Amino acid sequence: MDTLYPLNGSDRSPRDRRGAADTDGTDTAVLDVIVIGAGPVGLALTLDLARRGLTVRLVEREERRFEGSRAKGIQPRTLEVLDDFGLADAALAAGGAYPPMGLHLGPFTMSWRMHATAPDSAGTRYPDVLLLPQYATATLLHDAVERLGAHVEFGVRAEEITQDEETCAVRLDDGRLLTARYVVGADGGTGTVRKAAGIAFEGTTDETDRMILVDAAVDGLSRDHWHIWPRTGGRGVAACPLPGDDGRFQIMIRTRPGDPVEAETLTETRLAGLLRRRAGRSLTLRDISWTSVFRPNIRLAERYRNGRLLLCGDAAHVHTPAGAQGLNTGVQDAYNLGWKLQQVLAGADTALLDSYEQERRPVAAQVLGRSTELYEGLRRTRPRRLTRGPGEHQLDISYSGGPLAPTDAPRTTTLRCGDRAPDAPLPRPTTTAARLFDLYRGPHFTALAFGARAAAAARRLPRPATGAPLRRHIALPHTTPRTPGEEALLSAYGITEDTLLLIRPDGHIGHIGHGTHVDPGAHPALFPA
C-alpha cells in the first residue's frame, strides 16, 4: 500500500535531460518509456502514458498497421477501459452485436446465442461482448495516440536492447540509439524485449493443429448467423460476419493433411475451392483482404519484469483464440501498468512495478487455462461447448490478496480492496457526471466519500505534488438511503456506515476506510503529506 502515491526516490522523470540526436545517430534525449510493438496492447499503453504527460516512443517492425480481423471480441471490462480512454462510443459505433450461432446439420440449422449478457449486479454500462475486428480496434487506438501528439514509427526493428541501473538503450535497425528509463515489450510471442530480458516463455506449441483464418466476402451466405459446418475430427469450417458495409466474413478452416498452410499457397482460388468443398458448393469466396495460419501456442512468461524491461500482452502470455481473451487480457495489462510507470517515474518506490506482475500474471494463468479448455471444446462442436458465460467478461477480476490489497484490509459488505469498482448511476447527476464512471474517467486517483465523516476525511487528503492527481468526490453526505437512487448506490458499494474509498487510476479499489478509521493520518504511507 505504501507505493500508490509518489514517495521520495531517485527515479524521477528526466524532463531536464532532453537533447537532440548526435551525429552518430544517438538520440541524447532520455525518454520516459519506449514501447516496442504497435498492436492494440502497445497502442493502449502508449495512449495511457501519453495522456499522463510522459514522453513515450512507440516502434513497430511491420511497415503498416495490422489489417486482419484476428481478435474480434471486446469484452465488457475492456469496453470499460476504452470508456476511460474516451473511445467506448466510437468502438460501439464501429462494431456490432455478436450474431447468433448457426450450426448446419444437413438441411437443418441449430441456432443459439453464444455470449451471455452480464447481470445487472455487475455494475457496467457495457453488459455485452462487442464484435469489433482487431483492425478496427487498432485504428481507434492509433488515432487517439496521434491526437495526443504521439506517433507510431512503422518499419523500425529493435535489434539490441540493454539496460543499466539508470536507463535502457535500444539500438534500432536503422542505426539510431534511443534511451529511456523503461522499455516495455508489447511485441508478441517472438518479441525482442523478452529475449533481451532473459525471461523464459514456458508452454507448448501444437504443430499438428492448424487453422486457416481468412477475411473475405462470401457470396451466397447470409449475414444473420455465425455459421458453423461441423466435420469429423473437429476439422470444421466457420464464418462470422464482420461489422461494416463491405460484406466481409472472418472464415475459420481447421486444416487436414494436404490443405494449403504456407503463405504462398493461400490463394483465392484454392481457398474458394476449400470453402465450397467443406461448407457448400453454392458459396463463392472473393476479395480476400487478409489470411493467416494459426497454431495453438499456449505460453506464459516466467516473469513480467527484469529491471527496467517489462512485458505486456502477447509478449507475456499467448492464448488460443477461444473465448476472446488474449487481446482483452493484454489491454488490461497495459491499463494496470500505465499508472504504475507514471508513479515510479514521479518518485514512487520501484517495488510498485513488481505489483504489476503479481497482479496480472495470475490473471493470465487463469485465462490460459480457460481459453485452452474452450478451444478443446471446439473439437466436439456442441452448443454447450460453444457458449460463453460471465466468466469471460473479465468484470470479476480482483487483485485482493495481492501486494496492494491485503486480505485483512477493511471491506464493505460487497467489495474488498483490489476489487474492480463497479459503475452506478449518481442519485444527483450533474451536467458533467451522471454515473460513477464519469467521476473515475481520466488518469487520476478518485477519493469517494459516503457520509459526513468520510467527506471531511476526503477534504483533508493531501494533494499529491507529483504523479497521478487526486480528485475528491462526495457520493452521498449520509449513509441512510432516502430515495431509491440512493439505496441503489449504497447497495452497489455495500455501504452501511461512513466509508471513504480510494479508486486507483485503473478502476480497482486501493483503500477502504470506515467510521473513525477514515482519517488519512492513519495511513501515512498511502496518503503521504
Side-chain angles (χ1 to χ4, degrees):
M1 299 287 281
D2 58 347
T3 55
L4 283 176
Y5 283 161
L7 307 175
N8 292 330
S10 61
D11 203 7
R12 303 266 179 200
S13 181
R15 301 187 184 282
D16 58 339
R17 303 206 295 178
R18 305 235 166 85
D22 289 342
T23 55
D24 64 354
T26 299
D27 192 333
T28 59
V30 180
L31 301 159
D32 290 329
V33 183
I34 297 171
V35 179
I36 311 294
V41 175
L43 287 165
L45 179 60
T46 301
L47 177 59
D48 197 21
L49 297 174
R51 70 174 181 157
R52 298 177 184 282
L54 302 181
T55 57
V56 56
R57 293 279 284 272
L58 176 57
V59 298
E60 167 57 49
R61 63 191 175 194
E62 299 297 332
E63 295 291 338
R64 61 183 62 85
R65 196 162 57 203
F66 181 73
E67 298 176 346
S69 64
R70 182 178 290 144
K72 60 185 182 300
I74 304 298
Q75 298 290 348
R77 180 54 182 158
T78 305
L79 280 168
E80 292 183 344
V81 175
L82 294 178
D83 182 297
D84 187 34
F85 291 158
L87 299 176
D89 288 343
L92 293 172
Y98 264 84
M101 306 298 289
L103 183 63
H104 298 291
L105 302 170
F108 304 103
T109 299
M110 181 184 299
S111 181
W112 74 97
R113 189 178 180 191
M114 182 182 193
H115 293 281
T117 295
D120 292 341
S121 59
T124 182
R125 289 183 58 199
Y126 310 102
D128 294 304
V129 182
L130 179 69
L131 179 62
L132 186 70
Q134 184 171 327
Y135 56 75
T137 303
T139 297
L140 289 173
L141 292 166
H142 187 190
D143 290 349
V145 165
E146 293 279 340
R147 286 195 294 270
L148 288 180
H151 304 284
V152 181
E153 294 187 54
F154 286 106
V156 177
R157 183 182 296 271
E159 290 197 333
E160 182 182 15
I161 303 172
T162 58
Q163 62 172 319
D164 56 31
E165 292 184 359
E166 296 293 328
T167 60
C168 304
V170 178
R171 176 69 68 179
L172 304 178
D173 60 355
D174 60 8
R176 286 181 294 156
L177 182 67
L178 305 180
T179 307
R181 291 297 190 189
Y182 292 93
V183 171
V184 180
D187 47 351
T190 60
T192 304
V193 179
R194 190 186 61 256
K195 295 174 182 176
I199 297 175
F201 206 32
E202 300 166 345
T204 61
T205 301
D206 188 348
E207 298 288 353
T208 66
D209 184 4
R210 300 193 182 194
M211 179 186 294
I212 302 171
L213 301 178
V214 184
D215 288 354
V218 180
D219 296 332
L221 189 60
S222 69
R223 298 182 58 80
D224 57 357
H225 281 86
W226 179 338
H227 302 272
I228 301 175
W229 295 270
R231 293 293 181 266
T232 57
R235 306 298 180 179
V237 178
C240 179
L242 298 174
D245 299 327
D246 55 4
R248 309 195 83 71
F249 289 79
Q250 183 194 72
I251 302 158
M252 295 147 277
I253 306 173
R254 295 287 287 271
T255 64
R256 300 171 179 169
D259 286 341
V261 293
E262 303 301 330
E264 61 272 15
T265 65
L266 297 178
T267 64
E268 184 168 304
T269 299
R270 296 193 68 177
L271 290 172
L274 191 58
L275 179 65
R276 282 195 297 270
R277 290 193 301 274
R278 300 275 182 89
R281 297 193 175 278
S282 63
L283 302 181
T284 301
L285 181 147
R286 59 178 175 80
D287 297 338
I288 293 176
S289 59
W290 172 74
T291 62
S292 180
V293 177
F294 163 80
R295 299 169 300 170
N297 197 7
I298 304 166
R299 296 184 181 274
L300 180 62
E302 180 183 25
R303 291 173 291 153
Y304 279 22
R305 177 191 177 205
N306 180 358
R308 295 179 177 274
L309 306 181
L310 299 109
L311 307 178
C312 211
D314 283 357
H317 45 81
V318 179
H319 313 252
T320 76
Q325 298 293 288
L327 179 150
N328 293 275
T329 304
V331 167
Q332 291 167 49
D333 288 345
Y335 197 48
N336 182 285
L337 178 59
W339 70 271
K340 294 176 179 179
L341 281 169
Q342 179 188 16
Q343 297 299 88
V344 170
L345 286 163
D349 193 315
T350 56
L352 181 59
L353 293 179
D354 293 328
S355 75
Y356 163 61
E357 174 188 322
Q358 292 163 336
E359 290 185 339
R360 292 302 302 169
R361 192 174 184 275
V363 173
Q366 182 179 8
V367 167
L368 276 171
R370 178 58 176 157
S371 65
T372 301
E373 177 187 343
L374 292 172
Y375 186 76
E376 289 301 315
L378 295 176
R379 297 178 185 274
R380 294 177 174 83
T381 321
R382 296 173 182 170
R384 66 182 181 86
R385 293 182 177 273
L386 296 175
T387 300
R388 312 293 183 244
E392 282 73 62
H393 293 164
Q394 302 196 357
L395 293 169
D396 59 354
I397 288 173
S398 176
Y399 305 137
S400 178
L404 304 182
T407 53
D408 59 353
R411 61 179 62 191
T412 73
T413 62
T414 59
L415 296 173
R416 304 163 297 171
C417 282
D419 287 352
R420 162 188 161 270
D423 195 13
L426 293 171
R428 298 180 180 85
T430 67
T431 56
T432 58
R435 310 179 63 88
L436 286 176
F437 274 24
D438 295 332
L439 305 181
Y440 303 160
R441 190 178 298 115
H444 57 264
F445 289 91
T446 304
L448 191 67
F450 293 87
R453 285 180 295 174
R459 295 188 187 98
R460 295 195 301 270
L461 291 178
R463 187 179 300 276
T466 58
L470 171 68
R471 294 184 181 178
R472 307 167 179 84
H473 297 283
I474 301 173
L476 281 175
H478 49 265
T479 58
T480 301
R482 301 172 184 175
T483 67
E486 291 181 357
E487 182 174 9
L489 177 60
L490 292 168
S491 296
Y493 273 65
I495 303 299
T496 58
E497 58 181 316
D498 280 36
T499 304
L500 178 66
L501 298 98
L502 180 74
I503 312 302
R504 301 175 359 176
D506 61 356
H508 285 258
I509 299 173
H511 168 75
I512 299 174
H514 294 302
T516 60
H517 299 291
V518 295
D519 184 351
H523 304 277
L526 185 61
F527 305 109

